[in-house]
């Protein structure tokens, strides 16, 4: 772990790693400095281990700024979007509150694995659905001795899905709507408790695990092909690769059939386009 001190004054200290610049009011104790650096660098190392040919932990396209705050007043004045004890925005900025009013150390309200993956995926200009799905996947991924564990991931997830989703009482967003989500991505909705946001989270995660572990030979081959084509030929052709010449509804059926083997009876909402067509016909 390479961590160097760039600047230290009574008001501000700046520390730097390969991927992050950390600021804090005053001098940050060495033990806490190392904890912070290791937290974020370990996540990036795990990202590099995911079998999708990702090099984000080895060749960062940009660095991310982490501002360490010790008091709530400093935290509330920092720019970014409030999210538990983490603030972050699409401009690669985050503020991390370490202590509450009584001086007690705090754990982040948002899983750091989600946040770090979110920043890294956005820096690669991925589509909205893929940024969120991959971030949720990394936050879900079991870790042993700071290394990701890929064994029995679908089984682990199937046991965690809420009963209402597992039994089909709650319908997941249509795949067509998920793929067409605005790529001008904002993190504002993450961590905000809402029924729609919860269903979207589970949809993102279930789809990511399906394409990574259940589709085809279970080696994320279609997802890898999608990423390669997207990098070279753009989103339109990449989406065709992802759907494999089928309609989104047909692919939904294949995905639901794969999860049904694990005890899930998933249902999907009608696409927004179909709902609009029905409304027009009614008028």
């Amino acid at each position: 772990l390479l961590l160097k001190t760039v600047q230290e004054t009574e008001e501000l200290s700046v520390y730097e790693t390969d991927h992050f610049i950390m600021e804090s009011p005053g001098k940050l104790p060495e033990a806490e400095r190392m904890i912070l650096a290791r937290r974020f660098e370990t996540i990036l190392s795990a990202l590099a281990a995911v079998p999708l040919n990702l090099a984000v932990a080895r060749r960062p396209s940009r660095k991310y700024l982490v501002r360490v705050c010790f008091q709530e007043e400093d935290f509330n004045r920092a720019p970014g979007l409030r999210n538990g004890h983490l603030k972050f925005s699409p401009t690669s900025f985050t503020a991390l509150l370490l202590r509450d009013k009584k001086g007690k150390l705090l754990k982040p309200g948002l899983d750091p694995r989600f946040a770090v993956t979110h920043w890294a995926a956005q820096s690669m200009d991925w589509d909205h659905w893929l940024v969120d799905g991959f971030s949720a996947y990394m936050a879900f991924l079991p870790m042993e001795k700071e290394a990701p564990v890929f064994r029995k991931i679908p089984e682990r997830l199937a046991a965690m899905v809420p009963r209402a989703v597992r039994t089909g009482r709650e319908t997941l967003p249509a795949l067509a709507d998920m793929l067409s989500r605005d790529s001008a991505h904002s993190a504002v909705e993450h961590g905000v408790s809402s029924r729609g946001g919860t269903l979207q989270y589970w949809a993102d995660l279930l789809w990511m695990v399906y394409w990574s572990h259940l589709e085809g030979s279970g080696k994320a081959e279609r997802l890898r092909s999608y990423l390669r084509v997207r990098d070279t030929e753009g989103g339109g052709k990449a989406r065709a690769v992802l759907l494999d010449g089928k309609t989104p509804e047909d692919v939904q059926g294949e995905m639901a059939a794969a999860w049904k083997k694990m005890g899930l009876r998933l249902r999907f909402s009608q696409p927004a386009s179909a709902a609009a067509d029905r409304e027009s016909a009614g008028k």
Side-chain angles (χ1 to χ4, degrees):
L1 181 67
L2 178 62
L3 178 68
K4 63 182 179 180
T5 301
V6 177
Q7 177 186 10
E8 279 193 334
T9 68
E10 289 185 3
E11 292 78 25
L12 177 70
S13 295
V14 181
Y15 313 98
E16 188 173 19
T17 77
D18 284 347
H19 296 87
F20 290 89
I21 299 172
M22 294 183 287
E23 293 182 357
S24 74
K27 187 176 181 179
L28 189 65
E30 182 179 1
E32 291 181 354
R33 195 168 71 220
M34 295 301 294
I35 288 171
L36 279 172
R38 186 169 294 281
R39 168 183 287 170
F40 292 112
E41 295 286 0
T42 297
I43 295 164
L44 284 165
S45 296
L47 267 173
V50 173
L52 289 176
N53 299 327
L54 301 175
V56 291
R58 294 187 295 275
R59 296 184 181 277
S61 60
R62 62 187 181 190
K63 292 190 178 182
Y64 300 96
L65 175 63
V66 180
R67 180 168 293 169
V68 179
C69 300
F70 291 100
Q71 311 221 355
E72 275 191 78
E73 296 76 26
D74 296 333
F75 180 75
N76 291 331
R77 283 197 295 266
L81 303 167
R82 186 63 186 265
N83 202 316
H85 299 306
L86 274 176
K87 271 186 179 181
F88 67 101
S89 72
T91 56
S92 302
F93 172 86
T94 182
L96 179 62
L97 181 64
L98 284 189
R99 296 190 178 95
D100 61 18
K101 291 179 179 179
K102 296 182 180 178
K104 184 179 179 181
L105 287 172
L106 292 169
K107 291 183 178 180
L110 181 71
D111 193 315
R113 293 177 297 173
F114 185 100
V116 174
T117 305
H118 206 274
W119 304 324
Q122 280 183 266
S123 75
M124 293 185 279
D125 297 319
W126 280 2
D127 291 319
H128 191 140
W129 69 268
L130 186 56
V131 171
D132 284 351
F134 193 51
S135 301
Y137 177 85
M138 285 301 297
F140 164 75
L141 197 61
M143 303 285 287
E144 291 181 5
K145 297 180 180 179
E146 299 186 352
V149 178
F150 297 100
R151 298 188 307 273
K152 297 185 177 180
I153 285 179
E155 293 87 345
R156 291 173 188 255
L157 178 57
M160 294 171 57
V161 174
R163 180 177 177 80
V165 175
R166 189 169 63 243
T167 59
R169 193 170 74 244
E170 290 275 19
T171 57
L172 297 173
L175 175 60
D177 292 341
M178 188 178 84
L179 294 178
S180 63
R181 286 160 71 188
D182 186 3
S183 59
H185 192 70
S186 171
V188 67
E189 71 272 18
H190 298 304
V192 178
S193 180
S194 70
R195 176 176 171 273
T198 299
L199 289 173
Q200 189 67 67
Y201 167 81
W202 287 108
D204 291 339
L205 185 51
L206 285 163
W207 275 108
M208 187 57 55
V209 171
Y210 167 72
W211 270 314
S212 300
H213 301 280
L214 295 176
E215 196 273 337
S217 65
K219 296 181 179 180
E221 290 165 348
R222 188 161 304 285
L223 192 55
R224 291 187 205 217
S225 297
Y226 165 84
L227 290 170
R228 283 196 299 270
V229 174
R230 193 180 185 283
D231 284 342
T232 58
E233 301 186 56
K237 290 187 177 180
R239 183 173 299 184
V241 169
L242 194 67
L243 296 177
D244 193 24
K246 306 180 183 75
T247 67
E249 290 74 19
D250 288 340
V251 178
Q252 280 177 185
E254 293 177 354
M255 182 263 215
W259 281 112
K260 188 175 182 180
K261 295 176 183 178
M262 304 199 176
L264 275 61
R265 298 196 297 274
L266 302 179
R267 292 175 56 237
F268 295 90
S269 303
Q270 287 293 314
S273 58
D277 290 343
R278 285 199 306 274
E279 185 176 342
S280 299
K283 291 179 180 179

